[in-house]
Amino acid sequence: IAESLERLAKPLDAAPYRLRAAKGLEDAVLAQWSRERALKALHGVTDVALLEGLAKEFAGDPAEPDLMFDLAEARYAAKDYPGALSIANTLLQMFPDSLVTPGAQSILRRAGAREKVDARTIGVIVPLSGDYVGYGQKALFSILLAANVFGPDEPQGRVRIAIRDSAGDPARAAAAVDTLFEEDGIVGIIGPLLSNETEAAAPRAQALGVPMITLAQKKGLTEIGPFIFRNSMTNSMQAKA
């Protein structure tokens, strides 16, 4: 059945049959091959009901840790953060040495941070050191003024700005997304300022589900995902204007 479904380009439908076949195979190598083929098809699937059913059906099977991990990711994608936390915690307790342990730990950090989001906190990633410090400082001052940080409003009504210095370094900009998300509970990010920083940082924001408004001009940056926006004109846009 699995092979027939795969020939019809339906690997997801074939995956449960592959897992069931693996349980009945005496050849350990062939069983592992069948299992890995199924798990590859299921990786990234967001159908909670499907994954929950498979995790229950294959409890005690070598595929169980991977199925639990995929289920936790699916619950996270569905914004069921308590559910994702519960499954990831159970996974770590049951299979502390599994290959998916680092992924489960990541879910704990992400889902835990999601439960602590502060709707008034905005992250800012700009270069405040290095070759582009002048541009970064101007951008930061503009953001602070727009956020009324220096205004007369009551302190409790103001937006809180959490700032990270990217130093013009793409790797540092990407790391800043994680620290803002996990440590500051930001609701969104303004920045980065440079195109190469955004190319590194935007996929992280997209994966975490954090809206990012980049200040970079390069075309195509918003195509990284639906959480990525731009507040600057590309060269082609300026030419048309």
Side-chain angles (χ1 to χ4, degrees):
I1 295 175
E3 290 180 356
S4 298
L5 289 168
E6 287 170 349
R7 281 196 292 269
L8 292 171
K10 295 182 178 181
L12 183 58
D13 293 334
Y17 293 100
R18 282 281 179 201
L19 290 173
R20 292 170 192 136
K23 291 183 71 171
L25 289 171
E26 294 183 2
D27 187 324
V29 174
L30 187 57
Q32 181 65 12
W33 175 85
S34 183
R35 190 178 298 115
E36 289 178 353
R37 192 178 180 91
L39 293 173
K40 183 179 179 180
L42 291 166
H43 184 66
V45 170
T46 57
D47 186 335
V48 172
L50 170 65
L51 293 170
E52 197 163 44
L54 290 174
K56 290 179 180 178
E57 180 179 350
F58 293 96
D61 188 84
E64 186 179 10
D66 294 83
L67 292 171
M68 290 180 68
F69 172 73
D70 287 339
L71 177 57
E73 284 284 21
R75 288 202 175 278
Y76 181 88
K79 295 183 169 52
D80 177 9
Y81 304 122
L85 281 169
S86 176
I87 295 167
N89 270 316
T90 302
L91 172 55
L92 290 172
Q93 291 170 7
M94 292 176 62
F95 307 102
D97 300 320
S98 169
L99 292 176
V100 296
T101 293
Q105 292 169 337
S106 173
I107 292 172
L108 286 182
R109 290 194 300 270
R110 288 184 279 132
R114 268 297 175 197
E115 293 207 307
K116 297 183 291 184
V117 168
D118 181 352
R120 292 184 302 174
T121 300
I122 297 174
V124 174
I125 304 173
V126 290
L128 298 175
S129 60
D131 295 339
Y132 302 95
V133 61
Y135 299 103
Q137 287 178 339
K138 289 180 180 178
L140 177 60
F141 292 155
S142 299
I143 293 166
L144 294 177
L145 286 170
N148 199 31
V149 169
F150 308 112
D153 292 348
E154 292 297 320
Q156 62 267 27
R158 294 181 189 166
V159 172
R160 175 176 172 263
I161 303 296
I163 303 165
R164 293 293 187 279
D165 174 19
S166 64
D169 179 5
R172 191 161 167 174
V177 174
D178 288 320
T179 59
L180 284 168
F181 178 76
E182 295 175 10
E183 298 174 9
D184 294 279
I186 47 99
V187 72
I189 294 173
I190 298 175
L193 181 63
L194 306 177
S195 296
N196 61 349
E197 291 179 328
T198 302
E199 287 174 328
R204 291 297 307 135
Q206 177 63 34
L208 293 170
V210 177
M212 170 180 279
I213 303 176
T214 177
L215 305 175
Q217 294 180 310
K218 186 174 181 180
K219 186 178 180 179
L221 294 173
T222 56
E223 296 174 8
I224 290 173
F227 285 96
I228 311 304
F229 305 87
R230 176 174 46 229
N231 188 32
S232 59
M233 297 180 70
T234 65
N235 292 334
S236 61
M237 293 168 91
Q238 293 180 56
K240 290 179 183 178

